[in-house]
Amino acid sequence: MVDPHDRSDRFELIAGCDGETLARFANEVLEEDPQLSVQQDPHPQLLVQQVTEPVERRPFNLGEVVVTPAAVELDGHRGFAMVPGKAERAALSGAIVDAAVAGGHRLSESMTAALERAAADREAERAQAWAESKHTTVDFRTMEDET
């Protein structure tokens, strides 16, 4: 289980959260006119995705993926987000949410609850997709034993 109060876990939760939820919370934070400084403008960029191949457990570069990072300082608290795809608004909103939670903003609990709900929804979708497709899985260990 991920902990939205742990910064590393929060990065993962923000990256998986939908942009509209992040934008809604960021707008609510910004309505209070806090001191905001954008440290890194959200610009899409390529990131090498590394995975581990299942048979010999060696890492290899699968390819490049597009991500959008952003960094802010909000009332003296740093915030960062990196979201998949070309999503400038979601990245900036995510960085604001990260900084707000780090600073104990009055909306922190509702933000972390929404991040947890989004993660639970994603996990339920993955479980459903796995249940629908697991019969097509190839067991590489079985293939190794046959050689």
Side-chain angles (χ1 to χ4, degrees), residues 1 7 32 41 51 85 93-94 105 115 118 128 134:
M1 183 71 181
R7 194 149 193 240
E32 298 173 7
D41 286 326
V51 297
S93 297
H105 189 275
L115 292 173
Q128 178 64 32
K134 69 181 178 181

Side-chain angles (χ1 to χ4, degrees), residues 42-85:
H43 290 293
Q45 55 188 277
L46 293 175
L47 181 74
V48 174
Q49 180 166 2
Q50 191 175 74
V51 297
T52 303
E53 64 91 11
V55 177
E56 294 184 19
R57 305 274 186 232
R58 283 192 271 175
F60 72 95
N61 295 332
L62 179 63
E64 294 177 327
V65 293
V66 177
V67 296
T68 306
V72 301
E73 187 170 307
L74 179 77
D75 287 338
H77 298 280
R78 297 188 68 155
F80 178 80
M82 182 180 293
V83 298

Side-chain angles (χ1 to χ4, degrees), residues 7 10-11 14 35-42 69-82 90-103:
R7 194 149 193 240
R10 192 166 58 246
F11 288 156
I14 289 170
Q35 185 177 355
L36 176 68
S37 172
V38 177
Q39 305 293 311
Q40 179 182 357
D41 286 326
V72 301
E73 187 170 307
L74 179 77
D75 287 338
H77 298 280
R78 297 188 68 155
F80 178 80
M82 182 180 293
L92 187 57
S93 297
I96 291 168
V97 166
D98 180 48
V101 172

Side-chain angles (χ1 to χ4, degrees), residues 119-141:
D121 291 347
R122 251 187 346 277
E123 190 55 39
E125 289 172 8
R126 283 186 191 147
Q128 178 64 32
W130 173 247
E132 292 172 359
S133 66
K134 69 181 178 181
H135 67 280
T136 64
T137 305
V138 175
D139 186 351
F140 287 100
R141 289 173 294 174

